[in-house]
Amino acid sequence: MQRDILIGGKTIRLEVNGDHVSVDGDDLAVDYQLISANELSLIVEGRAYRCLLDRTVTDEAIIVAGKRYPFAVEDPRALKSRKARGAGTEGPLQIKSSMPGRVLRVIVGEGEDVVPGQGLLVVEAMKMQNEMKTTRGGRVRRIAVREGDTVNAGQLLAIID
Amino acid sequence: MQRDILIGGKTIRLEVNGDHVSVDGDDLAVDYQLISANELSLIVEGRAYRCLLDRTVTDEAIIVAGKRYPFAVEDPRALKSRKARGAGTEGPLQIKSSMPGRVLRVIVGEGEDVVPGQGLLVVEAMKMQNEMKTTRGGRVRRIAVREGDTVNAGQLLAIID
Amino acid sequence: MRILRAARELGISTVAVYSDADRRALHVLHADEAYRLGPAPASESYLRGDLILNIAAQCGADAIHPGYGFLSENAAFAEACEQAGITFVGPTANAMRMLGSKTSARQLADAAGVPRVPGTTTAATSAKDALAAARKIGFPVMLKAAAGGGGKGMRAVEQESELASALTAAQSEAQRAFGSSDVYLEKLIVRPRHIEIQVLADQHGHVIYLGERECSVQRRHQKVIEEAPSAVVGDSLRRRMGETAVALARHAGYTNAGTAEFLVDAEENFYFLEMNTRLQVEHPVTELITGLDLVHLQLQIAAGEPLPFAQDDIHLRGHAIECRIYAEDPDNNFFPSPGLITGLSQPSGAGIREDSGIYDGWTVPLDYDPMLSKLVTYAPTRALAIERMRHALDDYFIGGIATNISLFQRILSDADFQAARIDTSYLDRLLSAEPPAQSVTETVTHSEQVAAIAAALFNASSGKPSEAGANAEAADTPWKQARRREGLR
Amino acid sequence: MRILRAARELGISTVAVYSDADRRALHVLHADEAYRLGPAPASESYLRGDLILNIAAQCGADAIHPGYGFLSENAAFAEACEQAGITFVGPTANAMRMLGSKTSARQLADAAGVPRVPGTTTAATSAKDALAAARKIGFPVMLKAAAGGGGKGMRAVEQESELASALTAAQSEAQRAFGSSDVYLEKLIVRPRHIEIQVLADQHGHVIYLGERECSVQRRHQKVIEEAPSAVVGDSLRRRMGETAVALARHAGYTNAGTAEFLVDAEENFYFLEMNTRLQVEHPVTELITGLDLVHLQLQIAAGEPLPFAQDDIHLRGHAIECRIYAEDPDNNFFPSPGLITGLSQPSGAGIREDSGIYDGWTVPLDYDPMLSKLVTYAPTRALAIERMRHALDDYFIGGIATNISLFQRILSDADFQAARIDTSYLDRLLSAEPPAQSVTETVTHSEQVAAIAAALFNASSGKPSEAGANAEAADTPWKQARRREGLR
C-alpha cells in the first residue's frame, strides 16, 4: 500500500508493508489496530500513539496528542483528496463560512486593498455576530455574498488576491 | 407497518401509522426518534421511554427502565425471527453454553432423572468452574459433549425431556 | 440532564419540555414524561412561560426547575408559577425582581451596606445624561444592560469620544437580547478578578455561603474557565466576602441558591457586581470542593425543608476546575460550529466529572447557545487539577465539528494561568499575543510522520464497512497483516 | 488506565506491556510506549516477570507499577525489580513476603498484638493433621490458600465428614491458581462483616490509615459491592481498627499502600484476616470520601517523598459506593460472557465516577478476569449514594454481552442492603431467596406494550445503514413520519 500524504505543507511518501512502513525512504517498525472508525492505536518503534481522524465540513485531519494535523491524500486510488486547510499559501485566498448563518454586513468592497486581520464582513449565527477577517493582505477580488444572504457551511464569502 | 411481537409469552399485534400505533387494537399516540442503532427515544401518550436494543449470541431484547424484555418478531418481512429466551416452557429443554469454554466434568448420564437446579456438567472458562444446572426437572435425553471438549457460545450441551 | 438526574435521585418524577430542535436531546430521552413546546426558536418555545405552565397544569406537575438560562431569571414567570400554585425552584418573584435588575440590585446593595463599584443607579436615557454620569465617575467606564447578563449589552469605554456610539450599540444589543434597552454606567476597575460567592438560603431564615468561585478567565465577558477555590482568596477574605453576600441575601429576603458576583482588585478590595438568582453553570466546582449537591439542596429548599447543615459545617477541600466546552472554532474567530457529531470519546476516571448532553450521532442545533459539555476535574491541589484537566482534554475527542478544546489546552499550559496570575482581561491578552508557534518546519517532524502514517492507514481502510470498529479486525489488508508481531522489538 | 492516567498527571512517561489478547486495550492506546509481552495466557505474558523486566531495562524505565493483579503481590518479582535497580511501586520484597503469605502474616499479627481469628499458623499437610487442628479450633472452620486471595482455594467446612474432600479441593485449586498447595485452617465467624482499613506508609517511617471500606457484599468470596465509610463503624471502632492496622504495617516495615482486611462481628470485635500488599480494586471509594488520590500517593512514596499530610489531616466526608461490573450472567449461574460489545452508553455527571477500560467495538477477551468497569457514586449520604447508583445503573447500557448490572439493581433495591443489614453471607442469602417475581402475567403489561412498540420500530429500521445513529433522521418510513407533532398532547 502506497500513499502520498500532504501535511504541514510537505508531501510525505509512505509505503506500508505488513509491520513495517517506509516514510520518505526511512524504514520504521509499526503495529496498528483500528479501535473505531475514527480512532487508531498506532505503535511506531515502540512509541504508542492514539490517532484520531476528524472530518469536518471544511477539512480532514489527524489529531495526535491533542494537536491537529490537517492532511490531504494524494493517491489516484484514494476516493477523497481534499485540499488541506492552511496548506498552500500561494494564489488567491478564499474566505469561506465555516457554518450556516446570515450575512449581517459587508464591510469592504470589491477592488479595495486589505491588510492582514482586517474585517471583511459580519456573519450572524446563534445570535452571535462574527467578523470574518482575512489572514493575508491583498486586494479584494470578489465578494460572493450580499447583506441578508443566508450562507451554508463551506460557502465562499470572498476572494482576496 | 405491521408487526407481531412475541414478548413475555404473549403475542402483541402492532400497527404503526405515523404518530399513532395500534397495540392489540388500542390506539396510542407515539413519537419516536432513533438516537443510535440500538437506542430509541420513545414517547407514548406523553410518557417518555429510553428503549435499548440488546442483541446477544443467544437472544434479542428490549431494555426499558433497567428491565430486559426478550422478544421475537413474527412477521414474514422481518429478517430476524429468533426464539425469545424463556419463551415457550413446553417441550424439551436445551441446555446451551453461553460462552466458549472447556467441559471439565459431566455429572449426569443420559437417561438419568434430574430435578430443577441439579448440576449437569461443569464448564471451565476464564479460570472459573461453572456448574451448568437445569432449570426444570425431567429425564436427560442427551448429553451432547464429552469431558475435555471445547465448546462455543450457544453450543448445545444437553437436552432434558 | 444535571437537574433531571438530581430529581430522580430524590425520587421525583420528571417532565421534560422540548422544542423541535431538541427532540433528540438527552433530557427528553431520560425524562419520565416529555412534551413538545413549539418550534426551534426560543421565543416560540423555551421563553413561552404560558405554554410551559399549560403543560405543567395538564400533567399535574408540583414544581418547575427553570435550569440555567431562558426563564430562570424571569420574575414574571416565577410570579405566574406562584399564581398557578406551582412551586418555582428558585427565589420568590419579589426577591428576583429586587436582585434581577442590576439597577435595583445596586440600590439594594447600598441599603445593605454591600460595597460596589461607583456608578449610576438608574439607566442612562440619553448620550448627554451618560456623559455627565461618566465624568462624575471618571473614565474608563463600563456600560451594562440593566436586565442582562452574560456579556450582552456590555461595552467598555476608555474615553469621552467613544461614549455615544458605545451607548447606542449597548442599548440596541440589550433591547434585542433582553427586551429592555436600559443601560447603566459604572467605573471600570483595572485588571480585576471576577470572584463570586455561592449562597444558599432556606425558607426558615437560614442563609449560608459555600465559598467562592474564581471566574476571571473570560472572553467577551463570557466565563470560559471557573475554579474553586480562588488561588488569591484566603480565609479572611473568604469570610468577609461570604458574610457580605449573606447580608445581601438576607436583605432581599432571598431563598434557594444564588450567586453574588464581585470584582476583586489587587488590594483585596471587593465590589459587588450583581446577584444571579439561579443555579450557575459553574456550580459543579463548588460541589466538588464542598462535597454537597446543589441541585438536591435547591429541590429540598423549594419543598420547604430547612438546610441540613450550618455555616460551620462547610469545609472546603482540594481544588476543582471547569472548562466550558463549546461548539466554536478558536482558530476561526470563535465562530460557532454546530453540526453533526461524527465521533465522540469522552474522558472519565479518577477526579473527572462531565456534565454533558451530547452523544455520537447528535446534531448540535443552530438555535441555542453552543455549549456542548462542562468538563470538571478535581484533585487535592490546583497544580494537579490543572494537570488532570490537561490530560482529560487530550483524551477528549469530538469529531465532525470544531470545538474550543485547543483553547483550553493553550490556557492550561500558559505560565500565567498556572501561576494564577489572571484577571478578567487575562484571556484577551493571551489571545492577542502571538499564537504559539505553529511550527511550520521545513523538514518533516516526527509528529507529522506519525500523523501521516495514521492518515495513510485511515485512508486505506475507508470505504470498508466498519460499524463502530467492530469489524475492524475482520477487514482485510493492511489491517490484518500487522496484527501479530514476532517477538519483542 | 487508572494508573496510567495518574502517572501522566504527575508528568511521568508511561510504558504499557500487553499480551496478544490486549493489543486493542485502552492502556495500550493511551500509553507513551507499548511493548508486546507474549501470547494471551497470563502464564506466557503478564506473569512473566523476566520478560517485563527485559522490556523495562530496554526502554530505560525507572519504575514498575504492578497494578491490582498478576504480579502485584509477587515478592520474587519485587525482589527482581530491586536487583535490576528498577523501583517497584509497592512494599519491599521483604515486607511483601512477611505479609503476602497468610501463614507468615498471621505469625506477624500475633507478634504485633493484632487480634485474629483462631486458626493454624502452618499449612495443613494431611487430612489427619487438618482434622486435629479443626477439632482444636472447633467447627465450623474455613480452609484458605496460604498464597492466595480472591476466594480461590477457599472452602467453608461445617462438619468433620466434609473436611477431607474439601481439603483436597482447596489444595488443588490453590496449586492451580497460585503455584502452591499450602492451605491452612481457621475458625469460621458467624455472619461477620468484611471491613478493611486502607493504610499508607512512606519510606520515612510515617504510617497513617485512611478509614475503612465495607466489603461484606460478596459472592463466592469475591467482593461485589464496596462502600466507604461502613454504616456500622463509628469513630471509636474506626480509630481502634486503624491503629491496629498501622501497628501491623509498622511491625512489618511496610511501605506504600496496603490494606488490612478484618472480619467484624456483631459485637464490634474485629479479627485480622490478611494484608493486601497492593492497591485494591476498590480504592476509589476511599478516594472519594478522603479527597485524596491513592495512585499519586503510591508514586510519590515510591519516589521517596514523605507523606504530605498527617493522620489528623484526614477527614472523611460523604459516602461512596462501588459496583464491580463484570461480563457474567446473573440469570445463568454467573457464567462469564466475554464477547463483542455492540453498544455502549455510560452514565456520567454529578457524583458519578467510572474507571473502565471498555469501548463500543471492543471484544472482552476470554483470557482474564471479566471485570469490565468499576462504577462508583458519591453523595453526601449513604441513601443518596444508593439512589444515585440505582439511576446510574439504569442509564448504563452494555450491548451484546451479558453483565451483572441487574444483580446490582436487585441488591440496591433490597431493604436489607438499604438498611445496611449485611454480612459476608448476605448476598448468598439474597441469591438463594426466591428471585423477584418475573411478573409473567396473563395480560400484556404496559411495560411490555412499550417494549413491543420499541421492538417493532427497531425491527422496521434494521437493515438500513445507520452509522451510529447519524443517519437515523434521513432513514425513510416510519422514522420520518412521526417527527413533527401538531401542537400539544
CSV table of all heavy atoms in Angstrom, one decimal, chain D residues 401-439:
chain,number,residue,atom,x,y,z
D,401,ILE,N,-23.3,-8.4,25.2
D,401,ILE,CA,-22.8,-9.4,26.2
D,401,ILE,C,-23.7,-9.3,27.5
D,401,ILE,O,-24.2,-8.2,27.8
D,401,ILE,CB,-21.3,-9.2,26.6
D,401,ILE,CG1,-21.1,-7.8,27.1
D,401,ILE,CG2,-20.4,-9.5,25.3
D,401,ILE,CD1,-19.7,-7.6,27.6
D,402,ALA,N,-23.7,-10.4,28.2
D,402,ALA,CA,-24.4,-10.3,29.5
D,402,ALA,C,-23.5,-9.7,30.5
D,402,ALA,O,-22.3,-9.8,30.5
D,402,ALA,CB,-24.8,-11.7,29.9
D,403,THR,N,-24.1,-8.9,31.4
D,403,THR,CA,-23.4,-8.3,32.5
D,403,THR,C,-24.2,-8.5,33.8
D,403,THR,O,-25.3,-8.9,33.8
D,403,THR,CB,-23.2,-6.8,32.4
D,403,THR,OG1,-24.4,-6.1,32.6
D,403,THR,CG2,-22.6,-6.4,31.0
D,404,ASN,N,-23.5,-8.2,34.9
D,404,ASN,CA,-24.2,-8.4,36.2
D,404,ASN,C,-24.9,-7.1,36.7
D,404,ASN,O,-25.2,-6.9,37.9
D,404,ASN,CB,-23.2,-8.9,37.3
D,404,ASN,CG,-22.0,-7.9,37.5
D,404,ASN,OD1,-21.8,-7.0,36.7
D,404,ASN,ND2,-21.2,-8.1,38.5
D,405,ILE,N,-25.2,-6.2,35.8
D,405,ILE,CA,-25.9,-4.9,36.2
D,405,ILE,C,-27.2,-5.2,36.9
D,405,ILE,O,-27.5,-4.6,37.9
D,405,ILE,CB,-26.1,-4.0,34.9
D,405,ILE,CG1,-24.7,-3.4,34.5
D,405,ILE,CG2,-27.1,-2.9,35.2
D,405,ILE,CD1,-24.7,-2.6,33.3
D,406,SER,N,-27.9,-6.2,36.4
D,406,SER,CA,-29.2,-6.5,37.0
D,406,SER,C,-29.1,-7.0,38.4
D,406,SER,O,-29.9,-6.8,39.3
D,406,SER,CB,-30.0,-7.5,36.2
D,406,SER,OG,-29.3,-8.8,36.2
D,407,LEU,N,-27.9,-7.7,38.7
D,407,LEU,CA,-27.7,-8.1,40.1
D,407,LEU,C,-27.6,-6.9,41.0
D,407,LEU,O,-28.1,-6.9,42.1
D,407,LEU,CB,-26.4,-8.9,40.1
D,407,LEU,CG,-25.8,-9.2,41.6
D,407,LEU,CD1,-26.8,-10.2,42.3
D,407,LEU,CD2,-24.4,-9.7,41.5
D,408,PHE,N,-26.8,-5.8,40.6
D,408,PHE,CA,-26.7,-4.7,41.4
D,408,PHE,C,-28.1,-4.0,41.6
D,408,PHE,O,-28.4,-3.5,42.7
D,408,PHE,CB,-25.7,-3.7,40.8
D,408,PHE,CG,-24.3,-4.2,40.7
D,408,PHE,CD1,-23.7,-4.4,39.5
D,408,PHE,CD2,-23.6,-4.5,41.8
D,408,PHE,CE1,-22.4,-4.9,39.4
D,408,PHE,CE2,-22.4,-5.0,41.8
D,408,PHE,CZ,-21.7,-5.2,40.6
D,409,GLN,N,-28.9,-4.0,40.6
D,409,GLN,CA,-30.2,-3.3,40.7
D,409,GLN,C,-31.0,-4.1,41.8
D,409,GLN,O,-31.7,-3.5,42.6
D,409,GLN,CB,-30.9,-3.3,39.4
D,409,GLN,CG,-30.4,-2.2,38.5
D,409,GLN,CD,-30.7,-2.4,37.0
D,409,GLN,OE1,-30.9,-3.5,36.6
D,409,GLN,NE2,-30.9,-1.3,36.3
D,410,ARG,N,-30.8,-5.4,41.8
D,410,ARG,CA,-31.6,-6.2,42.8
D,410,ARG,C,-31.0,-5.9,44.2
D,410,ARG,O,-31.8,-5.7,45.1
D,410,ARG,CB,-31.4,-7.7,42.4
D,410,ARG,CG,-32.3,-8.6,43.3
D,410,ARG,CD,-32.3,-10.0,42.7
D,410,ARG,NE,-32.8,-10.9,43.7
D,410,ARG,CZ,-32.7,-12.2,43.7
D,410,ARG,NH1,-32.0,-12.8,42.7
D,410,ARG,NH2,-33.2,-13.0,44.6
D,411,ILE,N,-29.7,-5.9,44.3
D,411,ILE,CA,-29.1,-5.6,45.7
D,411,ILE,C,-29.5,-4.2,46.2
D,411,ILE,O,-30.0,-4.0,47.3
D,411,ILE,CB,-27.6,-5.7,45.6
D,411,ILE,CG1,-27.2,-7.2,45.3
D,411,ILE,CG2,-27.0,-5.3,47.0
D,411,ILE,CD1,-25.7,-7.3,45.0
D,412,LEU,N,-29.4,-3.2,45.3
D,412,LEU,CA,-29.6,-1.8,45.7
D,412,LEU,C,-31.0,-1.5,46.1
D,412,LEU,O,-31.3,-0.6,46.8
D,412,LEU,CB,-29.1,-0.9,44.7
D,412,LEU,CG,-27.5,-0.9,44.4
D,412,LEU,CD1,-27.2,-0.1,43.2
D,412,LEU,CD2,-26.8,-0.3,45.6
D,413,SER,N,-31.9,-2.3,45.6
D,413,SER,CA,-33.3,-2.1,45.9
D,413,SER,C,-33.8,-3.0,47.1
D,413,SER,O,-35.0,-3.0,47.5
D,413,SER,CB,-34.2,-2.3,44.7
D,413,SER,OG,-34.1,-3.6,44.2
D,414,ASP,N,-32.9,-3.8,47.6
D,414,ASP,CA,-33.2,-4.7,48.7
D,414,ASP,C,-33.3,-4.0,50.0
D,414,ASP,O,-32.4,-3.2,50.3
D,414,ASP,CB,-32.2,-5.8,48.7
D,414,ASP,CG,-32.4,-6.8,49.9
D,414,ASP,OD1,-33.5,-7.4,49.9
D,414,ASP,OD2,-31.5,-6.9,50.7
D,415,ALA,N,-34.3,-4.2,50.8
D,415,ALA,CA,-34.5,-3.5,52.1
D,415,ALA,C,-33.3,-3.7,53.0
D,415,ALA,O,-32.9,-2.8,53.7
D,415,ALA,CB,-35.8,-3.9,52.7
D,416,ASP,N,-32.8,-5.0,53.1
D,416,ASP,CA,-31.7,-5.3,54.0
D,416,ASP,C,-30.4,-4.5,53.6
D,416,ASP,O,-29.8,-3.9,54.4
D,416,ASP,CB,-31.4,-6.8,54.0
D,416,ASP,CG,-32.3,-7.6,54.8
D,416,ASP,OD1,-33.0,-6.9,55.7
D,416,ASP,OD2,-32.4,-8.8,54.7
D,417,PHE,N,-30.2,-4.4,52.3
D,417,PHE,CA,-29.0,-3.7,51.9
D,417,PHE,C,-29.2,-2.2,52.2
D,417,PHE,O,-28.3,-1.5,52.7
D,417,PHE,CB,-28.7,-3.8,50.4
D,417,PHE,CG,-27.5,-3.0,49.9
D,417,PHE,CD1,-26.2,-3.5,50.1
D,417,PHE,CD2,-27.6,-1.8,49.4
D,417,PHE,CE1,-25.1,-2.8,49.8
D,417,PHE,CE2,-26.5,-1.0,49.0
D,417,PHE,CZ,-25.2,-1.5,49.2
D,418,GLN,N,-30.4,-1.7,51.9
D,418,GLN,CA,-30.6,-0.3,52.2
D,418,GLN,C,-30.5,0.1,53.7
D,418,GLN,O,-30.1,1.2,54.0
D,418,GLN,CB,-32.0,0.1,51.6
D,418,GLN,CG,-32.0,0.1,50.1
D,418,GLN,CD,-33.3,0.6,49.5
D,418,GLN,OE1,-34.3,0.8,50.2
D,418,GLN,NE2,-33.4,0.8,48.2
D,419,ALA,N,-30.8,-0.9,54.5
D,419,ALA,CA,-30.7,-0.7,55.9
D,419,ALA,C,-29.3,-1.1,56.4
D,419,ALA,O,-29.0,-1.1,57.6
D,419,ALA,CB,-31.8,-1.5,56.7
D,420,ALA,N,-28.4,-1.4,55.5
D,420,ALA,CA,-27.0,-1.9,55.9
D,420,ALA,C,-27.0,-3.1,56.7
D,420,ALA,O,-26.1,-3.3,57.5
D,420,ALA,CB,-26.3,-0.7,56.5
D,421,ARG,N,-28.0,-3.9,56.6
D,421,ARG,CA,-28.0,-5.2,57.3
D,421,ARG,C,-27.3,-6.2,56.5
D,421,ARG,O,-28.0,-7.1,55.8
D,421,ARG,CB,-29.4,-5.7,57.7
D,421,ARG,CG,-30.1,-4.9,58.8
D,421,ARG,CD,-31.4,-5.5,59.2
D,421,ARG,NE,-32.4,-5.5,58.1
D,421,ARG,CZ,-33.4,-4.6,57.9
D,421,ARG,NH1,-33.5,-3.6,58.8
D,421,ARG,NH2,-34.2,-4.7,56.9
D,422,ILE,N,-26.0,-6.2,56.4
D,422,ILE,CA,-25.2,-7.0,55.5
D,422,ILE,C,-24.1,-7.7,56.3
D,422,ILE,O,-23.6,-7.2,57.3
D,422,ILE,CB,-24.6,-6.2,54.3
D,422,ILE,CG1,-23.9,-5.0,54.8
D,422,ILE,CG2,-25.7,-5.8,53.3
D,422,ILE,CD1,-23.3,-4.2,53.7
D,423,ASP,N,-23.8,-8.9,55.8
D,423,ASP,CA,-22.6,-9.6,56.2
D,423,ASP,C,-22.1,-10.4,55.1
D,423,ASP,O,-22.6,-10.3,54.0
D,423,ASP,CB,-22.9,-10.5,57.5
D,423,ASP,CG,-24.0,-11.5,57.1
D,423,ASP,OD1,-23.7,-12.4,56.3
D,423,ASP,OD2,-25.1,-11.4,57.6
D,424,THR,N,-21.0,-11.2,55.3
D,424,THR,CA,-20.4,-11.8,54.1
D,424,THR,C,-21.3,-12.8,53.5
D,424,THR,O,-21.0,-13.2,52.3
D,424,THR,CB,-19.0,-12.4,54.5
D,424,THR,OG1,-19.2,-13.3,55.6
D,424,THR,CG2,-18.0,-11.4,54.9
D,425,SER,N,-22.3,-13.3,54.2
D,425,SER,CA,-23.2,-14.3,53.5
D,425,SER,C,-24.5,-13.6,53.0
D,425,SER,O,-25.4,-14.3,52.6
D,425,SER,CB,-23.5,-15.5,54.4
D,425,SER,OG,-23.9,-15.0,55.7
D,426,TYR,N,-24.5,-12.3,53.2
D,426,TYR,CA,-25.8,-11.6,52.8
D,426,TYR,C,-26.2,-11.9,51.3
D,426,TYR,O,-27.3,-12.2,51.0
D,426,TYR,CB,-25.5,-10.1,52.9
D,426,TYR,CG,-26.5,-9.2,52.1
D,426,TYR,CD1,-27.8,-9.1,52.4
D,426,TYR,CD2,-26.1,-8.7,50.9
D,426,TYR,CE1,-28.7,-8.4,51.6
D,426,TYR,CE2,-26.9,-8.0,50.1
D,426,TYR,CZ,-28.2,-7.8,50.5
D,426,TYR,OH,-29.1,-7.1,49.7
D,427,LEU,N,-25.2,-11.8,50.4
D,427,LEU,CA,-25.5,-12.0,49.0
D,427,LEU,C,-26.0,-13.4,48.7
D,427,LEU,O,-26.9,-13.6,47.9
D,427,LEU,CB,-24.4,-11.5,48.1
D,427,LEU,CG,-24.6,-11.5,46.6
D,427,LEU,CD1,-25.9,-10.7,46.3
D,427,LEU,CD2,-23.4,-10.9,45.9
D,428,ASP,N,-25.3,-14.4,49.3
D,428,ASP,CA,-25.7,-15.8,49.1
D,428,ASP,C,-27.2,-16.0,49.5
D,428,ASP,O,-27.9,-16.6,48.9
D,428,ASP,CB,-24.8,-16.7,49.9
D,428,ASP,CG,-23.4,-16.8,49.2
D,428,ASP,OD1,-23.3,-16.5,48.0
D,428,ASP,OD2,-22.5,-17.2,49.9
D,429,ARG,N,-27.5,-15.3,50.7
D,429,ARG,CA,-28.9,-15.4,51.1
D,429,ARG,C,-29.9,-14.8,50.1
D,429,ARG,O,-30.9,-15.4,49.8
D,429,ARG,CB,-29.1,-14.8,52.5
D,429,ARG,CG,-28.5,-15.5,53.7
D,429,ARG,CD,-29.1,-15.0,55.0
D,429,ARG,NE,-28.8,-13.6,55.2
D,429,ARG,CZ,-27.7,-13.1,55.7
D,429,ARG,NH1,-26.7,-13.9,56.0
D,429,ARG,NH2,-27.6,-11.8,55.9
D,430,LEU,N,-29.5,-13.6,49.6
D,430,LEU,CA,-30.4,-12.9,48.7
D,430,LEU,C,-30.5,-13.8,47.4
D,430,LEU,O,-31.6,-13.9,46.9
D,430,LEU,CB,-29.8,-11.6,48.3
D,430,LEU,CG,-30.6,-10.7,47.4
D,430,LEU,CD1,-31.8,-10.1,48.1
D,430,LEU,CD2,-29.8,-9.5,46.8
D,431,LEU,N,-29.4,-14.4,47.0
D,431,LEU,CA,-29.5,-15.1,45.7
D,431,LEU,C,-30.2,-16.4,45.9
D,431,LEU,O,-30.8,-16.9,44.9
D,431,LEU,CB,-28.1,-15.3,45.2
D,431,LEU,CG,-27.4,-14.1,44.7
D,431,LEU,CD1,-25.9,-14.4,44.3
D,431,LEU,CD2,-28.1,-13.5,43.5
D,432,SER,N,-30.2,-17.0,47.1
D,432,SER,CA,-30.9,-18.3,47.2
D,432,SER,C,-32.3,-18.0,47.5
D,432,SER,O,-33.1,-19.0,47.5
D,432,SER,CB,-30.2,-19.1,48.3
D,432,SER,OG,-30.3,-18.4,49.6
D,433,ALA,N,-32.7,-16.8,47.9
D,433,ALA,CA,-34.1,-16.5,48.1
D,433,ALA,C,-34.8,-16.5,46.8
D,433,ALA,O,-34.2,-16.5,45.7
D,433,ALA,CB,-34.3,-15.1,48.7
D,434,GLU,N,-36.1,-16.6,46.9
D,434,GLU,CA,-37.0,-16.6,45.7
D,434,GLU,C,-36.6,-15.4,44.9
D,434,GLU,O,-36.6,-14.3,45.4
D,434,GLU,CB,-38.4,-16.5,46.1
D,434,GLU,CG,-39.4,-16.9,45.0
D,434,GLU,CD,-39.3,-18.3,44.6
D,434,GLU,OE1,-38.8,-19.2,45.4
D,434,GLU,OE2,-39.7,-18.6,43.4
D,435,PRO,N,-36.2,-15.5,43.6
D,435,PRO,CA,-35.9,-14.4,42.8
D,435,PRO,C,-37.2,-13.5,42.7
D,435,PRO,O,-38.3,-14.0,42.8
D,435,PRO,CB,-35.5,-14.9,41.4
D,435,PRO,CG,-36.1,-16.3,41.4
D,435,PRO,CD,-36.2,-16.8,42.8
D,436,PRO,N,-37.0,-12.2,42.5
D,436,PRO,CA,-38.1,-11.3,42.4
D,436,PRO,C,-39.1,-11.8,41.3
D,436,PRO,O,-38.6,-12.2,40.2
D,436,PRO,CB,-37.5,-9.9,42.0
D,436,PRO,CG,-36.1,-10.2,41.6
D,436,PRO,CD,-35.7,-11.5,42.3
D,437,ALA,N,-40.3,-11.7,41.6
D,437,ALA,CA,-41.3,-12.2,40.6
D,437,ALA,C,-41.1,-11.7,39.2
D,437,ALA,O,-40.9,-10.6,39.0
D,437,ALA,CB,-42.7,-11.7,41.1
D,438,GLN,N,-41.0,-12.7,38.3
D,438,GLN,CA,-40.6,-12.3,36.9
D,438,GLN,C,-41.9,-11.7,36.2
D,438,GLN,O,-41.8,-11.4,35.1
D,438,GLN,CB,-40.1,-13.5,36.1
D,438,GLN,CG,-38.7,-13.9,36.4
D,438,GLN,CD,-37.7,-12.7,36.0
D,438,GLN,OE1,-37.9,-12.1,35.0
D,438,GLN,NE2,-36.8,-12.4,36.9
D,439,SER,N,-43.0,-11.6,37.0
D,439,SER,CA,-44.2,-11.0,36.5
D,439,SER,C,-44.6,-11.5,35.2
D,439,SER,O,-44.8,-10.7,34.2
D,439,SER,CB,-44.1,-9.5,36.6
D,439,SER,OG,-43.1,-9.0,35.7
